[in-house]
Amino acid sequence: MLKTNHKKYRLIITMHYMELGGAEMALIGLLNALDPDKVDVDLFIYSHQGPLMKYIPRWVNLLPENKSYSMIERPMTEALRNGRFGLVAARILGKSRHKRYIKRTVITGDDGSIMQYIGNAVTPLLPKINPDMEYDLCISFLTPHNIGRDKIRAKKRLAWIHTDYSTVHFNTELELPVWNAYDHIAAISPEVGKSFEKAFPTLAHKVVDIQNILSSKFIKTRAEEFDASGELTGHPNLLSIGRFCTAKNYDNVPDIAARIVKSGVKDLKWYIIGFGGSEDLIRQKIVEAEMEDHVILLGKKENPYPYIKACDIYVQPSRYEGKSITVQEAQILGKPVIVTAYPTALSQVKDGEDGIIVPLDNAGCAEAMASLISTSSSIKNIEDYCKSHSLSNESEVNKIYDLLK
């Protein structure tokens, strides 16, 4: 802990936007855990959009939106209408360079390299952020980290890793100089840290484990804002939350659900809250599996916590994760959780204690889930464990204070 008679440190944190996502919720948790008596915080959000904007603590100094930054990820037509011709040209250049790179590269896993190409192309055109201020610590909360490196004056820099690097493709040559400019690199779990160190062995000494910070009080208070039990029918009713993308594996949920129903769980309902580019594929898979009455997409929900409170079991069926925020949130709300055996699953749950890890393949996943559903005592034991243990981790913020010493 920082001594109370020590000077207040000045921090700046950068983030893309405040849409409904795990990284955004992790940022809200961090901001709520920081002590305004110990640090002054400037928050620079590229685009002031998203329902989580209103949950930024009042004591945090939200810097004004800058139009150039706000257009980094907006549609190019919108950027052109706003006169950001150079920015659009840079984005096109970044995508063109990425295409040339892809043509000569064998891609294994999801391709995460495009954002680095765009970051490298766009950042030189952006103005400095609060150029008259030198901060004690700059925290870049989401990749690419070029902006925190090049556009902010700071004595120390901390970059966050939210991704399991063993599951995505990246361009080491392009990323290494950016990561290398940071004094510390925060990994949200030991497994995430190890996968990063394997990818960038020369940076292993910079990695520090800092878990996503969640506030039990914040989550439990929001869970009481309304009653969602009338919307979740089914015996049992399952719930999953996350972006509709490859990582979350929702396109396989209809087949898994069909196998569970076929095993005898006839009244199963599996609800999914989220949005994203894979929605059409998921709906197609629902129809193909004839699961229209069993797999229900609830869409985007600004407050998902009443739904977590109302569900019987929370399920994270991902292909891969850094560390799922919603699994932690479900545990805080006393819900039994099921996660698939993605590479970082063991950092997510204690199998058989505060959750269950099931096979990642559809057949094995369905068989294990059906077995668990039919064994009410196992579900009750996990539920009792979560309710009787404190799963909040605000003390993780002390690791940031230690970096300031």
Side-chain angles (χ1 to χ4, degrees):
M1 294 289 289
L2 294 175
K3 296 179 181 179
T4 54
N5 62 349
H6 199 289
K7 71 165 188 175
K8 288 178 72 173
Y9 288 89
R10 189 85 184 192
L11 276 61
I12 184 168
I13 303 174
T14 65
M15 186 60 172
H16 296 213
Y17 40 66
M18 295 304 290
E19 293 290 353
L20 298 171
E24 290 85 350
M25 277 306 307
L27 176 56
I28 293 295
L30 170 61
L31 293 174
N32 277 291
L34 287 167
D35 186 346
D37 289 331
K38 296 174 180 176
V39 291
D40 288 321
V41 176
D42 286 351
L43 178 62
F44 184 75
I45 299 177
Y46 307 162
S47 179
H48 287 199
Q49 67 182 76
L52 295 180
M53 287 289 299
K54 65 184 178 184
Y55 295 107
I56 297 169
R58 291 185 178 181
W59 67 271
V60 171
N61 179 37
L62 178 63
L63 295 176
E65 183 184 77
N66 181 285
K67 271 297 179 185
S68 292
Y69 283 88
S70 72
M71 293 294 146
I72 293 174
E73 296 183 57
R74 294 286 182 89
M76 289 193 189
T77 53
E78 184 178 349
L80 287 172
R81 285 198 303 270
N82 280 270
R84 309 293 158 172
F85 305 109
L87 201 65
V88 170
R91 287 171 60 178
I92 293 171
L93 177 63
K95 289 183 177 182
S96 175
R97 288 172 174 169
H98 176 255
K99 284 182 180 179
R100 291 199 298 271
Y101 167 72
I102 292 298
K103 284 182 179 179
R104 64 177 189 270
T105 307
V106 177
I107 304 295
T108 56
D110 283 354
D111 178 31
S113 62
I114 186 169
M115 288 305 295
Q116 192 59 59
Y117 275 91
I118 293 175
N120 278 12
V122 167
T123 303
L125 301 181
L126 299 171
K128 298 283 186 181
I129 299 169
N130 213 4
D132 295 332
M133 173 67 68
E134 182 180 42
Y135 293 92
D136 294 297
L137 180 65
C138 166
I139 299 177
S140 178
F141 209 70
L142 202 62
T143 56
H145 296 298
N146 303 57
I147 289 168
R149 177 191 67 173
D150 297 342
K151 300 301 176 179
I152 294 169
R153 294 174 60 218
K155 297 173 183 175
K156 291 183 179 180
R157 301 179 198 277
L158 171 65
W160 230 271
I161 317 168
H162 296 276
T163 302
D164 176 5
Y165 264 71
S166 69
T167 61
V168 295
H169 173 81
F170 52 91
N171 184 335
T172 307
E173 185 179 348
L174 207 62
E175 285 199 23
L176 181 59
V178 181
W179 290 107
N180 196 44
Y182 283 80
D183 301 278
H184 307 285
I185 299 167
I188 61 175
S189 74
E191 286 74 15
V192 165
K194 289 174 185 175
S195 72
F196 180 85
E197 290 170 11
K198 187 175 181 179
F200 300 99
T202 60
L203 302 180
H205 65 287
K206 296 189 177 189
V207 176
V208 56
D209 291 332
I210 305 179
Q211 295 179 30
N212 289 324
I213 299 174
L214 297 177
S215 165
S216 294
K217 181 180 178 181
F218 177 81
I219 292 166
K220 289 177 179 178
T221 298
R222 292 198 67 201
E224 299 297 329
E225 288 184 3
F226 61 89
D227 182 6
S229 59
E231 297 183 54
L232 304 188
T233 61
H235 302 285
N237 58 70
L238 314 181
L239 178 67
S240 299
I241 301 173
R243 198 176 299 276
F244 294 167
C245 61
T246 301
K248 301 303 179 184
N249 198 30
Y250 294 149
D251 52 297
N252 274 316
V253 165
D255 181 61
I256 296 168
R259 293 171 186 268
I260 296 173
V261 171
K262 188 175 181 179
S263 75
V265 187
K266 302 297 185 183
D267 295 326
L268 173 80
K269 299 278 189 182
W270 192 331
Y271 297 90
I272 305 177
I273 291 175
F275 62 98
S278 297
E279 182 171 346
D280 289 344
L281 174 61
I282 298 166
R283 292 191 182 279
Q284 175 189 328
K285 295 292 186 180
I286 291 172
V287 173
E288 289 176 0
E290 298 180 346
M291 284 288 104
E292 293 93 333
D293 294 332
H294 297 278
V295 179
I296 299 97
L297 304 187
L298 295 177
K300 190 176 182 179
K301 299 292 182 183
E302 182 174 328
N303 182 1
Y305 300 112
Y307 295 90
I308 298 176
K309 180 186 174 186
C311 78
D312 295 318
I313 302 172
Y314 181 81
V315 186
Q316 195 70 38
S318 302
R319 289 181 170 94
Y320 60 87
E321 288 282 348
K323 189 171 185 180
S324 170
I325 286 281
T326 46
V327 167
Q328 293 176 265
E329 292 168 336
Q331 290 171 327
I332 286 173
L333 291 173
K335 292 298 171 179
V337 298
I338 297 174
V339 304
T340 45
Y342 46 80
T344 60
L346 287 173
S347 70
Q348 191 81 73
V349 301
K350 301 172 187 173
D351 190 25
E353 195 167 288
D354 63 359
I356 296 290
I357 300 175
V358 299
L360 187 51
D361 68 283
N362 289 5
C365 178
E367 182 180 353
M369 286 180 63
S371 176
L372 179 65
I373 289 167
S374 64
T375 312
S376 57
S377 60
S378 297
I379 294 176
K380 184 68 165 56
N381 289 341
I382 295 170
E383 196 172 72
D384 289 344
Y385 180 92
C386 290
K387 288 180 178 178
S388 62
H389 288 74
S390 174
L391 298 168
S392 190
N393 63 348
E394 286 97 333
S395 62
E396 286 291 295
V397 76
N398 292 331
K399 296 178 180 179
I400 293 177
Y401 296 148
D402 288 340
L403 299 181
L404 287 166
K405 290 180 179 178

